[in-house]
Amino acid sequence: MDKTRIGIIGLGSIAQLVHLPILSRLENVDLVALSEINKNRLRTIGERFPSASKYQDYKEMISNENLDAVVIATPTDTHHEIALNCLKANINVLIEKPITINYDEAREINAVAKKHKKIAMVGMNLRFRPDAMLTKSIINSGELGDLFFIKCSWLREKSSNQKWFINKKQSGGGVIIDLGIVLLDLALWMFDDEKIESVSVQKYNHTLKDIEESAIGLIRFEDGKIITFEVSWELHSESDSFSMSIHGTKGTAHLNPLRIYKKMESGYIDYTPSKTSTSNLYRKSYENELKHFIGAIRENIQLISSSEESLIRMKLLEAIYKSAKACKEIRV
């Protein structure tokens, strides 16, 4: 099969740090076009990829180039329009998280992808960390028994320093839609459960006017499962502290670092695999994500983190913000 022809729309930090260097090195990919509304950035970044065509207007790019797929790495409020135009042009899309601003826009993207029989994948990269993938396979094997409780946390700096990122109309929200959505996506994936009953969330904006910089919450499921979470750009942490503890009736898994413990009559025993990669899990997650996207296009493998799955995430996200605004538990 010929190489998969890909374009990138939006040349901000995430494109510069991961999408461009990874895609340009994949042997089965041809990075044919770049689109960026900022002329200076387009010129500066474009100089590093001389063989790729450059466009300020993404519509010209998808019209002029014979593309198999695009990566959409633009401000969140632009995802909806760009994704629809690409899908209608019969181009597969990988949309950086979150899929879009709200549930209704996500539902339309999913419907158009189905209509045109194209892939619409959402960039939930935490699923593609090697330690998360290994944990999921251990859960699927039944080693931890029936899962019932996940505790997760992510404290770190904002993912972007661009002005749009703290503009609610453009970003859709603060730390919840930045860190919370991808953290909870991972927890939901581990549970393999869509039957959410209710959410209760408290958010704080001590330093920012329109968006939250911290949030703490609880998610209940119809079958008694529970997720608790905390996310923040401001709470003190000595490092980027992503963590998750997954509790089952037969054992517990901890992420970052990966630890697996099996419950025995005498207590818990360390069941952690001896050969566990811990080197550059951030970059590896994006590499695995992009390879999966390309594989789904080229080999028709089952898609992970589809626009279909994103509908549940966006419905949950809207309930979280409703709960935080009303300061009470909200049924989903």
Side-chain angles (χ1 to χ4, degrees):
M1 183 179 177
D2 294 336
K3 291 186 176 183
T4 302
R5 294 172 58 83
I6 287 188
I8 296 183
I9 303 174
L11 301 181
S13 58
I14 193 66
Q16 294 175 42
L17 288 171
V18 293
H19 296 313
L20 285 166
I22 292 171
L23 288 171
S24 63
R25 287 178 173 84
L26 294 181
E27 294 182 355
N28 58 359
V29 167
D30 188 4
L31 185 60
V32 299
L34 308 175
S35 175
E36 167 60 51
I37 196 170
N38 185 309
K39 189 175 182 179
N40 291 332
R41 184 185 294 166
L42 179 62
R43 183 182 67 253
T44 302
I45 305 302
E47 288 174 352
R48 292 158 40 193
F49 304 91
S51 63
S53 301
K54 286 81 178 177
Y55 297 87
Q56 275 191 271
D57 187 342
Y58 80 91
K59 292 179 182 178
E60 290 184 13
M61 184 183 82
I62 64 176
S63 176
N64 294 343
E65 303 290 340
N66 180 25
L67 295 170
D68 298 308
V70 298
V71 175
I72 301 173
T74 56
T76 308
D77 66 323
T78 67
H79 289 181
H80 177 248
E81 178 189 315
I82 295 173
L84 292 185
N85 284 329
C86 291
L87 291 167
K88 290 174 182 177
N90 290 310
I91 300 171
N92 300 290
V93 296
L94 169 59
I95 309 166
E96 263 303 329
K97 60 85 182 170
I99 183 171
T100 187
I101 289 286
N102 57 52
Y103 173 81
D104 289 338
E105 289 187 354
R107 183 174 58 182
E108 188 175 5
I109 290 172
N110 184 61
V112 172
K114 282 185 175 182
K115 178 180 178 180
H116 291 267
K117 298 181 180 179
K118 290 297 170 183
I119 289 170
M121 179 177 170
V122 185
M124 297 293 187
N125 69 294
L126 290 187
R127 294 198 203 187
F128 294 90
R129 287 172 55 114
D131 54 352
M133 296 169 73
L134 179 56
T135 301
K136 178 64 172 174
S137 68
I138 291 171
I139 290 170
N140 289 346
S141 72
E143 294 288 350
L144 301 184
D146 296 326
L147 303 187
F148 60 90
F149 173 43
I150 293 179
K151 179 182 179 181
C152 51
S153 173
W154 202 355
L155 313 180
R156 54 162 284 179
E157 295 180 351
K158 294 192 297 292
S159 299
S160 173
N161 290 320
Q162 295 183 47
K163 289 182 180 180
W164 73 265
F165 198 73
I166 56 173
N167 182 322
K168 187 175 182 179
K169 290 183 179 179
Q170 291 183 281
S171 65
V175 71
I176 293 172
I177 203 168
D178 175 32
L179 304 182
I181 188 68
V182 69
L183 184 67
L184 292 174
D185 170 80
L186 181 62
L188 290 172
W189 187 55
M190 293 297 180
F191 265 167
D192 197 23
D193 197 328
E194 302 172 359
K195 298 176 182 178
I196 301 169
E197 183 176 273
S198 65
V199 299
S200 181
V201 177
Q202 180 70 47
K203 66 180 177 71
Y204 302 94
N205 58 326
H206 296 146
T207 61
L208 297 170
K209 181 180 179 181
D210 297 323
I211 61 173
E212 75 287 349
E213 78 269 348
S214 301
I216 301 164
L218 181 147
I219 301 170
R220 297 181 186 274
F221 292 76
E222 292 178 4
D223 57 3
K225 294 187 182 79
I226 283 183
I227 296 172
T228 63
F229 71 94
E230 60 175 359
V231 287
S232 180
W233 297 327
E234 289 293 331
L235 293 177
H236 178 260
S237 176
E238 294 181 349
S239 62
D240 179 343
S241 58
F242 155 69
S243 65
M244 179 173 287
S245 296
I246 305 161
H247 300 275
T249 54
K250 295 181 180 179
T252 296
H254 300 284
L255 278 178
N256 208 29
L258 174 63
R259 292 289 184 270
I260 308 291
Y261 296 96
K262 286 287 295 292
K263 187 184 291 186
M264 309 295 286
E265 288 186 6
S266 58
Y268 285 89
I269 64 167
D270 192 337
Y271 195 68
T272 308
S274 56
K275 294 182 179 180
T276 304
S277 173
T278 57
S279 60
N280 208 341
L281 294 172
Y282 173 82
R283 182 183 173 86
K284 193 67 179 178
S285 71
Y286 280 101
E287 185 177 316
N288 290 339
E289 177 186 272
L290 288 165
K291 286 181 177 179
H292 176 76
F293 178 55
I294 302 304
I297 295 169
R298 296 174 65 87
E299 302 168 25
N300 199 30
I301 62 175
Q302 184 176 356
L303 185 65
I304 297 174
S305 190
S306 66
S307 57
E308 185 82 37
E309 285 181 277
S310 77
L311 300 184
I312 298 156
R313 278 63 174 161
M314 294 306 294
K315 183 69 76 174
L316 172 61
L317 189 67
E318 291 192 349
I320 285 172
Y321 276 116
K322 285 180 182 178
S323 172
K325 184 177 181 179
C327 295
K328 65 178 183 179
E329 188 171 17
I330 296 291
R331 293 187 63 86
V332 179

